[in-house]
Amino acid sequence: AEYRWITKQVYAGNPCFRDSLSSVLAIVTDPKGAFARRTQQQALVVKDENDTPLAAALLLRAEGLPDTVQLSFFEALPDAQEAVQTLVDKAASIARQWGASSLLVGMYGHVNYGLGFLADSFDETPCFGSSYNPPYYLDYFRSLDFSEQQLVSYRYPMSAFATQQEKRILERSKTRFNIRKADFSRLREEIRLYTRLNNDCFADHPVYFHRHDDEDYELFHPFRWFLKEENLLIAEHGGTPVGFLLWYPDFNALIGPGQELGLTALLKYKLFPQRIRRFKIVEIGVLPEFQGSSVILGLFHACYELTKDRFQEYESGWIFSENRKSRNICCRWNPESGPTYSVFSLTLS
């Protein structure tokens, strides 16, 4: 209740805010849920002398990332630096009791649920699935000796997407790789494959940790009415899956300030899909042994063929700024800069 009250105060009257985290918080904290069962959790709230909540977060330690305690789902009122300091001190104390050696701020349980505080573009409605928060959240953690990692994203008009279709490489890709849509009549099997590819493609990524397929099923299942088979593309080499691309339309175009995705948005999507002018490429993953091959261009091309007449632009998901390989692929087609994000960490002495 205190968490919801703070969130309401922070975003009241903000025309850009869309509520993308309430549904994630419900999944992450469901005591019977697949993800929550594999975590330790404790909610923290700091109040003033009048019992007014000032700052709140969910402390979370996941089985797959045992040395780290996440200070996740952080929300705080403005001018509450002292309360945030108290919150961080308490979080550090609990993290030590749990046997962890670091605090991580800006992840929502797992990277598949979301990562990073928004660091700019505060006057724009975010693309669906992207973070949104007031700018002062970053100041709170910058003033507390946390180290900061930046994440970047990119935007492309569809005309730039068209220039990505480099014919010679594409021909090579088509002879080596088959790109197919997911088969949702076998949803559990396809989710199992998606999870396995995530684990194999991203094992070395910062703050990524092993996923279980029941966790991804739990994430996708409520969202299934909005997703189509075309939104998950699988690349195969000799019949063996070697990569994937996940994209979806910007559903935030269907909901108003402060709202979350629900039945009204679903009806609008079924009746007026043309209202959505932007889509997001959320994830592209390729097995290490096929990175550098033409499979990535094949995935991009398959996505382009599905989206070219329906959208005006697309946005990438976040990429760690030090991930040169992924950034070079994205910058190859002269993108505009998209929103940037920040993740904060603190080593516990």
Side-chain angles (χ1 to χ4, degrees), residues 141-201:
F141 294 99
R142 283 171 179 162
S143 68
L144 290 174
D145 294 328
F146 278 76
S147 57
E148 182 175 355
Q149 281 183 287
Q150 195 180 50
L151 306 111
V152 298
S153 69
Y154 299 100
R155 285 183 179 146
Y156 306 79
M158 288 306 286
S159 56
F161 206 8
T163 66
Q164 292 177 18
Q165 316 316 321
E166 299 161 19
K167 285 185 178 173
R168 188 173 51 82
I169 306 174
L170 204 53
E171 287 308 314
R172 197 186 318 146
S173 181
K174 283 178 179 173
T175 59
R176 286 191 70 198
F177 302 102
N178 174 51
I179 313 288
R180 67 169 178 86
K181 299 175 188 177
D183 178 0
F184 284 175
S185 69
R186 303 183 297 116
L187 183 61
R188 279 207 178 266
E189 286 174 56
E190 295 289 61
I191 294 291
R192 200 172 296 128
L193 171 60
Y194 166 81
T195 304
R196 180 162 59 80
L197 286 170
N198 265 268
N199 287 333
D200 292 345
C201 295

Side-chain angles (χ1 to χ4, degrees), residues 249-251 253-254 269 272-278 310-311:
D250 178 15
F251 297 117
L254 305 175
Y269 184 43
F272 312 111
Q274 68 279 8
R275 285 187 184 176
I276 304 177
R277 308 307 298 153
R278 171 170 68 169
R310 291 154 57 186
F311 302 96

Side-chain angles (χ1 to χ4, degrees), residues 42-343:
Q42 186 169 328
L44 290 183
V45 181
V46 178
K47 302 178 182 180
D48 67 10
E49 64 275 10
N50 300 316
D51 217 31
T52 303
L54 300 176
L58 175 71
L59 283 196
L60 187 149
R61 179 173 175 258
E63 268 181 17
L65 203 63
D67 293 336
T68 299
V69 166
Q70 298 175 45
L71 198 147
S72 62
F73 299 94
F74 170 85
E75 302 286 356
L77 299 185
D79 306 311
Q81 183 71 54
E82 206 174 307
V84 174
Q85 173 78 67
T86 303
L87 188 83
V88 168
D89 289 345
K90 182 67 175 167
S93 172
I94 292 168
R96 288 188 190 98
Q97 289 169 31
W98 288 356
S101 56
S102 66
L103 275 182
L104 178 68
V105 187
M107 188 155 81
Y108 302 99
H110 190 278
V111 294
N112 283 23
Y113 301 131
L115 185 69
F117 285 136
L118 184 67
D120 53 32
S121 312
F122 300 104
D123 58 350
E124 299 175 9
T125 301
C127 201
F128 181 77
S130 299
S131 302
Y132 188 85
N133 49 265
Y136 63 83
Y137 279 17
L138 292 100
D139 299 330
Y140 284 152
F141 294 99
R142 283 171 179 162
S143 68
L144 290 174
D145 294 328
F146 278 76
S147 57
E148 182 175 355
Q149 281 183 287
Q150 195 180 50
L151 306 111
V152 298
S153 69
Y154 299 100
R155 285 183 179 146
Y156 306 79
M158 288 306 286
S159 56
F161 206 8
T163 66
Q164 292 177 18
Q165 316 316 321
E166 299 161 19
K167 285 185 178 173
R168 188 173 51 82
I169 306 174
L170 204 53
E171 287 308 314
R172 197 186 318 146
S173 181
K174 283 178 179 173
T175 59
R176 286 191 70 198
F177 302 102
N178 174 51
I179 313 288
R180 67 169 178 86
K181 299 175 188 177
D183 178 0
F184 284 175
S185 69
R186 303 183 297 116
L187 183 61
R188 279 207 178 266
E189 286 174 56
E190 295 289 61
I191 294 291
R192 200 172 296 128
L193 171 60
Y194 166 81
T195 304
R196 180 162 59 80
L197 286 170
N198 265 268
N199 287 333
D200 292 345
C201 295
F202 303 129
D204 296 330
H205 275 225
V207 303
Y208 184 89
F209 59 92
H210 184 86
R211 284 288 274 182
H212 298 264
D213 57 271
D214 54 353
E215 296 165 356
D216 282 325
Y217 184 78
E218 176 178 78
L219 175 62
F220 277 100
H221 194 254
F223 193 40
R224 67 195 182 282
W225 306 113
F226 288 91
L227 284 178
K228 298 178 179 176
E229 294 182 326
E230 65 180 20
N231 296 132
L232 178 58
L233 301 174
I234 309 290
E236 295 175 332
H237 179 259
T240 301
V242 298
F244 73 99
L245 184 151
L246 177 67
W247 71 275
Y248 46 62
D250 178 15
F251 297 117
N252 278 351
L254 305 175
I255 57 181
Q259 294 180 345
E260 58 180 312
L261 211 56
L263 191 56
T264 306
L266 181 62
L267 290 171
K268 285 182 186 174
Y269 184 43
K270 300 298 183 191
L271 295 171
F272 312 111
Q274 68 279 8
R275 285 187 184 176
I276 304 177
R277 308 307 298 153
R278 171 170 68 169
F279 73 94
K280 181 176 180 179
I281 294 184
V282 190
E283 284 184 283
I284 308 175
V286 173
L287 294 180
E289 57 268 36
F290 288 94
Q291 289 172 10
S293 74
S294 57
V295 67
I296 259 201
L297 199 69
L299 284 163
F300 269 124
H301 178 70
C303 184
Y304 170 72
E305 288 296 316
L306 292 165
T307 55
K308 61 184 177 182
D309 299 321
R310 291 154 57 186
F311 302 96
Q312 291 174 349
E313 66 169 359
Y314 79 94
E315 188 169 301
S316 76
W318 52 262
I319 300 164
F320 273 96
S321 58
E322 68 261 28
N323 185 343
R324 292 258 168 86
K325 195 185 286 185
S326 293
R327 290 184 67 183
N328 286 345
I329 291 166
C330 290
C331 290
R332 181 173 176 168
W333 301 294
N334 301 316
E336 300 163 20
S337 292
T340 63
Y341 306 91
S342 286
V343 180

